[in-house]
Amino acid sequence: MKWSEFPKWGKWAADWAANYHAGLRNRPVRAQTQPGDVLNALPVSPPDQAQPIEDVIADFERIVMPGITHWQHPRFFAYFPSNASPAAVLADNLVTAMAPQCMLWQTSPAATEMETRMMDWLRQGLGLPDGFSGVIQDSASSATLAAVLVMRERALNWDGNASGLPGQKPLRIYCSDEVHTSVDRAIWVAGIGQANLVRIPTQGPLRSMNIKALEAQIKADLDAGYLPAGIVACVGGTGTGACDDIAATCAVAQKYNIYTHVDAAWAGSAMICPEYRDLWEGVNQADSIVFNPHKWLGTQFDLSAHFVKSPEALTQTLAIQPEYLKTHGADGIINYSEWSVPLGRRFRALKLWFMIRAYGLDGLRQMIRNHVNWSQDLAEKLRAAPDFEIVTEPVLSLFTFRFTPEGQDADQATMNLLNAINDEGRIYLTQTRTQGKQVIRFQAGQFDCTAEDIQFAFDVIIETAKSLKDT
Ligand code: PLP
């Protein structure tokens, strides 16, 4: 394929994308394929001869599309959302055509300076003070890894990279059971070891770390010769939306000179609405915060916003300058690759610029408020329905519930309900366990979701439960 043919196929792709989105409600949300279907439909060996793009497109429809789970479906209520907005997709198309590699200011000045400005727009949007600087990471997992590496280096007096961990006091990182597994992986990769990730028990309606237990553990660790290095707190944990008390956590961290990272991967987007900010009260005191605009703000995967009080701590941990990466004669510039683990970086800030301008913060706020209100309405309807129990109350637009028909094991009945709903495919939900109970998670967050889609979800849940009860 030549660039001269691109306008024809680019137009085809744009029409395809618009039609795809317009027709999503007619598709099952979850892929209906069996393991191996797509793999077996793909030739075992690559072609030696060029093939017409028409054939590739026909195979795309035939082989690929049936194997897609539709994250952009308005009735996708599983996991967390992963939105693509048309404005951000347009920006990504432009970026893909230019394909710049934005590791250094010099290799893409526009990407670097756009990133600086967009991260500051986001900072203001979230109501964070101007003491925070931002960088775009590819994922929240990468941001958390970067933060844990800073915890390690800072605690080791910036000598861990040089000397390694042997011979050092064992480091300790603290978090609750509600944090995402990306924290465990960061601990493994940083060489700190799972045994030194200390779980603090949770309490209260938001399943927050027990602050007294946190402080007692830090003191005990100090007495036992460990080196407390960091706390990872969560706002909007993956399972049930748990939120730590950020103000109290940061107060303990400051008392013991410990670095604090706040993982608000999902819930952070909602902080553009001032009325939800009490969920992370005290966040101004944190050292590091991550949230994912690729989840609830419509800048399709991948775009993770990482704010830090001290960029110097990040660069002291991660910057490395072999001769070929030196930008001679360019003083005072930012090379964002020094703020992250990967060297290469895409031009992600452009889609933030397009998206924020195309919707305005008010447009985005309205969308998030709608999701929260509709989801809370659904929780009330399910609470009032026979045989349903709300297990965790809504945190923003996420709550959990279970099916409790009389005479049946509720865990089993709940899983039967979930599987029946997902196999049928009109809506998509996922499960978790909390308080020793099997529960179904519900979250609303897809950009095209309407109040009718939430009512539709209620009807599907009730109808499916009834049919299971009758059989
Ligand atoms: N933190 C939380 C609270 C999450 O829910 C998730 C994913 O859903 C992550 C971190 C990991 O995000 P990413 O896929 O951007 O690494």
Side-chain angles (χ1 to χ4, degrees):
M1 188 174 169
K2 298 189 176 64
W3 278 108
S4 57
E5 298 167 75
F6 194 77
K8 176 180 164 192
W9 294 112
K11 168 95 179 57
W12 175 85
D15 290 343
W16 183 92
N19 290 333
Y20 169 73
H21 279 264
L24 269 170
R25 282 192 184 81
N26 302 323
R27 296 181 188 255
V29 190
R30 203 179 66 175
Q32 303 289 298
T33 44
Q34 297 303 314
D37 284 357
V38 176
L39 184 65
N40 294 332
L42 294 167
V44 175
S45 306
D48 285 322
Q49 303 301 316
Q51 299 181 344
I53 201 73
E54 286 86 343
D55 292 1
V56 181
I57 284 172
D59 286 346
F60 162 73
E61 292 283 12
R62 183 176 62 85
I63 300 172
V64 177
M65 286 314 290
I68 294 289
T69 289
H70 301 287
W71 284 72
Q72 305 312 314
H73 201 299
R75 295 169 185 160
F76 181 101
F77 304 117
Y79 305 101
F80 280 137
S82 186
N83 281 298
S85 63
V89 171
L90 199 60
D92 251 0
N93 284 345
L94 301 178
V95 168
T96 307
M98 294 183 284
Q101 214 282 37
C102 310
M103 56 189 179
L104 307 172
W105 176 88
Q106 202 171 74
T107 64
S108 191
T112 303
E113 294 181 18
M114 178 70 78
E115 183 159 339
T116 304
R117 185 62 76 215
M118 286 309 103
M119 290 305 292
D120 203 59
W121 280 16
L122 279 183
R123 177 192 66 74
Q124 294 172 52
L126 300 185
L128 294 174
D130 60 10
F132 281 101
S133 307
V135 55
I136 300 178
Q137 308 279 8
D138 53 11
S139 62
S141 304
S142 291
T144 297
L145 173 59
V148 167
L149 290 169
V150 170
M151 291 171 186
R152 187 189 78 181
E153 287 305 294
R154 188 175 166 276
L156 296 178
N157 212 12
W158 313 104
D159 189 40
N161 282 338
S163 304
L165 300 185
Q168 307 276 12
K169 284 184 180 178
L171 299 171
R172 293 292 226 189
I173 309 284
Y174 307 89
C175 66
S176 80
D177 266 341
E178 301 286 337
V179 297
H180 189 260
T181 49
S182 52
V183 178
D184 301 64
R185 290 207 275 183
I187 299 299
W188 302 347
V189 175
I192 293 171
Q194 185 83 52
N196 292 312
L197 179 61
V198 185
R199 303 285 180 177
I200 304 299
T202 56
Q203 61 175 21
L206 287 174
R207 298 163 292 289
S208 328
M209 267 189 288
N210 178 325
I211 295 297
K212 281 199 179 125
L214 171 67
E215 185 165 5
Q217 182 69 52
I218 292 170
K219 278 189 191 155
D221 283 352
L222 283 168
D223 289 346
Y226 291 104
L227 199 49
I231 304 174
V232 182
C234 70
V235 176
T238 315
T240 64
C243 293
D244 287 318
D245 178 340
I246 301 300
T249 303
C250 290
V252 171
Q254 281 168 5
K255 186 167 168 190
Y256 295 91
N257 188 25
I258 296 174
Y259 193 87
T260 320
H261 173 65
V262 175
D263 178 0
W266 161 68
S269 297
M271 302 308 160
I272 61 170
C273 305
E275 68 270 30
Y276 302 137
R277 288 184 193 151
D278 52 355
L279 283 177
W280 74 0
E281 183 67 40
V283 75
N284 295 356
Q285 299 305 314
D287 295 297
S288 167
I289 306 164
V290 66
F291 92 100
N292 279 349
H294 67 232
K295 282 189 161 59
W296 209 354
L297 284 187
T299 46
Q300 61 281 353
F301 197 79
D302 45 7
L303 195 159
S304 198
H306 185 193
F307 294 99
V308 288
K309 282 264 181 60
S310 166
E312 295 74 27
L314 258 190
T315 54
Q316 211 171 337
T317 302
L318 297 174
I320 185 159
Q321 278 200 344
E323 191 56 33
Y324 62 89
L325 290 180
K326 288 187 180 151
T327 46
H328 299 279
D331 292 331
I333 48 138
I334 297 179
N335 293 322
Y336 278 118
S337 55
E338 298 181 349
W339 296 39
S340 50
V341 175
L343 171 65
R345 34 194 4 258
R346 303 195 305 116
F347 185 178
R348 296 187 177 89
L350 194 72
K351 59 187 168 191
L352 266 177
W353 193 45
F354 272 50
M355 190 272 305
I356 295 174
R357 293 180 67 186
Y359 289 91
L361 287 180
D362 273 345
L364 295 165
R365 286 185 187 112
Q366 191 53 54
M367 209 151 9
I368 285 178
R369 285 178 180 135
N370 285 343
H371 295 150
V372 171
N373 293 336
W374 296 336
S375 182
Q376 296 187 354
D377 286 349
L378 177 66
E380 290 317 309
K381 281 189 186 157
L382 283 175
R383 197 193 310 276
D387 304 325
F388 283 94
E389 177 194 347
I390 302 300
V391 179
T392 58
E393 295 296 325
V395 174
L396 300 168
S397 66
L398 169 66
F399 67 91
T400 64
F401 66 97
R402 68 195 220 132
F403 182 39
T404 55
E406 212 183 320
Q408 290 187 33
D409 175 71
D411 279 358
Q412 193 56 54
T414 300
M415 284 311 290
N416 291 346
L417 176 63
L418 178 82
N419 291 333
I421 289 171
N422 287 340
D423 288 347
E424 195 249 1
R426 286 180 292 167
I427 65 172
Y428 185 19
L429 302 166
T430 41
Q431 77 288 345
T432 191
R433 278 192 82 80
T434 185
Q435 303 161 21
K437 297 173 177 174
Q438 191 70 52
V439 295
I440 299 177
R441 296 168 76 258
F442 180 92
Q443 68 75 29
Q446 204 283 325
F447 266 30
D448 296 321
C449 174
T450 62
E452 288 71 38
D453 290 312
I454 308 284
Q455 176 61 42
F456 186 85
F458 176 73
D459 294 342
V460 169
I461 294 167
I462 296 296
E463 195 186 291
T464 314
K466 187 170 178 323
S467 73
L468 286 176
K469 226 178 131 183
D470 292 348
T471 51

